[in-house]
Amino acid sequence: MYLPPQLKFKHIAFGCILLVFLFSPFHNFVTHIAVFFSQQHIINQETALSRIEELRKQNIALMLKVRQGQFLQQENARLKQALRLQEEKKCTLIATRVIMFDLSMWRRIAIVNCGKRQGLREGLIAIDARGFLVGKIIEVQNNYSRLMLIDDPDFSMPVFIGNDTVGMLTGGLDGAKIMYIDNTEHIKERDKIWCKISYVGFPVYIGEVKATYTNRNALFWDIEVNLLSENPLLYDIFIIK
Amino acid sequence: MIIVLIILFLFDIIKPFRYCLATEFIFLGILFVSLHYSLYFALGAGAICGYLKDALSYHCAMPSIIVFILLSVYVKYILHHFQRDIIHIFIIISAISAYAFFYAFSQATPTYKFMLFFISQSTLTFFLISRILKRWIIPAETND
């Protein structure tokens, strides 16, 4: 069996010195190669990082475009719905948008971008795309109008619950209520609330009964209303002309 | 500070928090000005902001110009007679509460729940605005 001769320490040392002498002329060359590859690596890393950042920005921009597209799609659907409503009910709707709010938090009044020039006048009512009541016009200027929303404390309107029970809808910052309905009337939760407008030939729905309260001594029901209109501050509003 | 008041005014007009946050930013701005600036500046700011608020609002129970001027005078009066730090908190809470009580009870049907929301949310918002302004705006003004 062949066994390699045992290497002595002096041989190992000699070999190492020989290696150092052999490669010492190439020392700078090896260093240059190492630096070149490390720079390449760093440059690549920086390029990759900047590319990632660029892609991230592109991603955000695309996501915004998608959201914008979705919003436009929804808006388009709502406008189509309003057009269908206009054709079904044979009425004229004017699309408006909230441009400003009343500065006081104690009022629920919005300013919309249509006025006398668009044919608006005081007392017209505003609905959302699905036909639910949003509020009524209380002041008209040439290019803008003030719209009182249902939950304004000064809002009031005669309404019907169910088929023929009549009451008075009043707004309020704590929520709309219906007053002056005799507590002998049979009112139950989720009954539809609607109103008849003199110049409109169809019932305009407002919401449904949320809760009813009464006590032994009271003459009338206290009725809380669940309003069904979309948030008028986010979507288009339609004034029935 | 005038720019801050304009921004607060715009916040009330565009209502970025819609009706979720029950507070009036310009009212809080005037309260802050009354607490930290001179009486004349507070009165001037209150009168101008109150006038603009009245001009852009629908009929209110009481003109804002009067409310803001009274607020400035009330704050300065209390600060003149009491010098302790704790009095600031008393002034803030009392002014917001008085404002909320007045408007809540001036309505046909008082709105208790909204009044409580208004007091709590306005107080918290005031402390937040106050912290931001004390950290960035007032030091910047004193450096200039």
Side-chain angles (χ1 to χ4, degrees):
Chain A
M1 189 178 158
Y2 172 76
L3 288 169
Q6 279 190 339
L7 290 171
K8 284 184 181 173
F9 175 73
K10 61 179 182 184
H11 293 135
I12 296 168
F14 178 74
C16 286
I17 290 163
L18 189 69
L19 278 171
V20 168
F21 272 102
L22 269 174
F23 284 98
S24 62
F26 305 109
H27 173 77
N28 284 341
F29 176 71
V30 173
T31 313
H32 282 307
I33 287 174
V35 168
F36 174 75
F37 278 111
S38 60
Q39 269 181 345
Q40 277 296 314
H41 173 69
I42 290 164
I43 288 164
N44 284 341
Q45 203 178 11
E46 277 177 3
T47 319
L49 283 173
S50 63
R51 181 80 183 134
I52 287 168
E53 192 59 32
E54 198 181 316
L55 286 171
R56 193 173 289 153
K57 279 179 189 165
Q58 275 181 12
N59 189 30
I60 291 168
L62 286 171
M63 274 165 66
L64 280 173
K65 273 188 183 170
V66 168
R67 291 290 297 272
Q68 199 182 3
Q70 283 171 346
F71 182 78
L72 288 173
Q73 216 172 0
Q74 284 170 3
E75 193 182 25
N76 199 17
R78 276 197 301 275
L79 291 171
K80 276 182 183 169
Q81 207 173 10
L83 276 175
R84 275 200 299 274
L85 189 78
Q86 188 172 261
E87 281 165 13
E88 277 172 24
K89 307 289 184 186
K90 294 185 176 59
C91 59
T92 311
L93 297 179
I94 301 171
T96 61
R97 189 163 276 185
V98 173
I99 50 168
M100 219 177 97
F101 296 92
D102 194 282
L103 275 94
S104 174
M105 272 307 285
W106 302 90
R107 302 303 303 266
R108 294 286 188 267
I109 292 170
I111 295 176
V112 294
N113 62 349
C114 284
K116 278 178 192 165
R117 285 191 185 151
Q118 286 76 25
L120 297 196
R121 59 178 194 278
E122 277 179 35
L124 294 181
I125 63 156
I127 56 171
D128 66 4
R130 296 178 301 163
F132 292 114
L133 186 78
V134 169
K136 63 181 173 190
I137 300 288
I138 51 165
E139 189 186 306
V140 186
Q141 298 294 333
N142 282 339
N143 292 315
Y144 70 91
S145 310
R146 283 183 205 274
L147 173 74
M148 186 185 275
L149 305 175
I150 301 178
D151 48 359
D152 185 86
D154 281 358
F155 187 93
S156 63
M157 176 180 264
V159 293
F160 292 88
I161 302 181
N163 292 328
D164 54 359
T165 311
V166 186
M168 179 67 81
L169 175 80
T170 55
L173 301 170
D174 293 342
K177 284 179 182 161
I178 296 178
M179 303 194 299
Y180 310 127
I181 290 188
D182 199 336
N183 59 9
T184 55
E185 295 279 353
H186 186 66
I187 305 289
K188 56 184 189 298
E189 283 181 25
R190 301 184 70 81
D191 272 354
K192 294 278 178 225
I193 299 164
W194 55 281
C195 63
K196 239 185 223 175
I197 309 292
S198 57
Y199 68 94
V200 179
F202 57 91
V204 177
Y205 285 92
I206 299 168
E208 53 190 25
V209 175
K210 190 176 169 188
T212 53
Y213 308 98
T214 188
N215 63 51
R216 203 184 299 165
N217 299 322
L219 292 172
F220 304 112
W221 285 105
D222 276 336
I223 299 170
E224 284 184 14
V225 180
N226 183 22
L227 299 171
L228 292 178
S229 55
E230 284 176 329
N231 188 348
L233 315 176
L234 297 175
Y235 305 114
D236 283 333
I237 299 166
F238 302 93
I239 313 285
I240 308 179
K241 204 176 157 190
Chain B
M1 195 59 213
I2 293 166
I3 295 167
V4 173
L5 284 176
I6 292 169
I7 291 168
L8 293 175
F9 198 82
L10 286 176
F11 265 43
D12 272 345
I13 288 176
I14 58 172
K15 292 204 180 0
F17 306 103
R18 305 294 162 182
Y19 289 121
C20 304
L21 184 65
T23 187
E24 282 183 19
F25 288 101
I26 195 64
F27 169 72
L28 300 184
I30 297 298
L31 186 56
F32 182 84
V33 166
S34 307
L35 279 169
H36 297 97
Y37 289 81
S38 68
L39 176 66
Y40 294 113
F41 183 72
L43 282 175
I48 293 166
C49 291
Y51 178 77
L52 287 173
K53 188 169 181 260
D54 289 336
L56 293 170
S57 297
Y58 197 63
H59 310 299
C60 267
M62 191 172 179
S64 299
I65 189 166
I66 295 171
V67 174
F68 290 167
I69 288 171
L70 284 177
L71 174 71
S72 308
V73 173
Y74 164 75
V75 171
K76 287 296 169 195
Y77 180 79
I78 300 283
L79 284 178
H80 183 72
H81 286 84
F82 304 95
Q83 300 293 330
R84 302 179 71 175
D85 282 347
I86 193 82
I87 208 72
H88 276 237
I89 296 167
F90 168 76
I91 289 171
I92 293 159
I93 294 171
S94 63
I96 292 171
S97 304
Y99 189 78
F101 270 96
F102 175 75
Y103 278 102
F105 286 101
S106 64
Q107 289 171 353
T109 48
T111 48
Y112 303 105
K113 207 167 95 181
F114 184 78
M115 188 179 73
L116 290 175
F117 276 133
F118 187 88
I119 293 171
S120 55
Q121 292 181 7
S122 293
T123 309
L124 290 174
T125 312
F126 180 82
F127 286 122
L128 185 72
I129 291 173
S130 179
R131 194 173 168 77
I132 292 166
L133 294 180
K134 276 181 188 167
R135 181 170 283 187
W136 285 300
I137 306 297
I138 291 180
E141 281 183 348
T142 46
N143 286 340
D144 290 341

